[in-house]
Amino acid sequence: QVQLVESGGGLVQPGGSLRLSCAASGSILSINYVDWYRQAPGKERELVARMPSAGSTNYADSVKGRFTISRDNTKNTLYLQMNSLKPEDTAVYYCNVGVRTSDGYFSNYWGRGTQVTVSS
């Protein structure tokens, strides 16, 4: 019904920047909340940033001031701008969205993830 495709990951040096994208397609009526999560090797998946349909955007303390979540509703695409990257930001990043599909149901969808590696 709904597919999420992430892109923009890669290898970057400490202090560098990357912009992740997550494009949603399928039987989408509307997108409610959009989130970015990450999972580092040997660690649990953690919430990085959340943009609800209304209200304030939230960030993990570890990325505040460095990461920015945004969305383009005309393209059904969300973004994560990551600046001043640190080695501890190395992880697989996943987008997660709440979608109301054209059949009227509301469901949660995950992307497959994109690898971000911060290393010199």
Side-chain angles (χ1 to χ4, degrees), residues 65-119:
R66 300 188 297 122
F67 290 12
T68 303
I69 188 173
S70 61
R71 60 193 289 179
D72 184 337
N73 292 328
T74 65
K75 298 180 179 179
N76 285 338
T77 300
L78 65 147
Y79 304 96
L80 185 68
Q81 178 67 43
M82 305 186 295
N83 299 327
S84 302
L85 283 161
K86 305 175 181 180
E88 51 263 44
D89 294 318
T90 295
V92 178
Y93 285 71
Y94 300 88
C95 59
N96 175 265
V97 298
V99 176
R100 188 168 301 280
T101 48
S102 56
D103 57 6
Y105 288 97
F106 185 88
S107 299
N108 175 265
Y109 294 90
W110 287 91
R112 290 191 171 187
T114 184
Q115 176 70 46
V116 171
T117 302
V118 185
S119 175

Side-chain angles (χ1 to χ4, degrees), residues 30-44:
S30 63
I31 295 178
N32 190 316
Y33 59 85
V34 296
D35 300 336
W36 285 97
Y37 284 76
R38 68 185 180 187
Q39 187 166 19
K43 295 187 177 182
E44 293 186 354

Side-chain angles (χ1 to χ4, degrees), residues 6-10 18-21 82 114-116:
E6 296 121 329
S7 61
L18 285 174
R19 189 176 82 152
L20 305 183
S21 300
M82 305 186 295
T114 184
Q115 176 70 46
V116 171

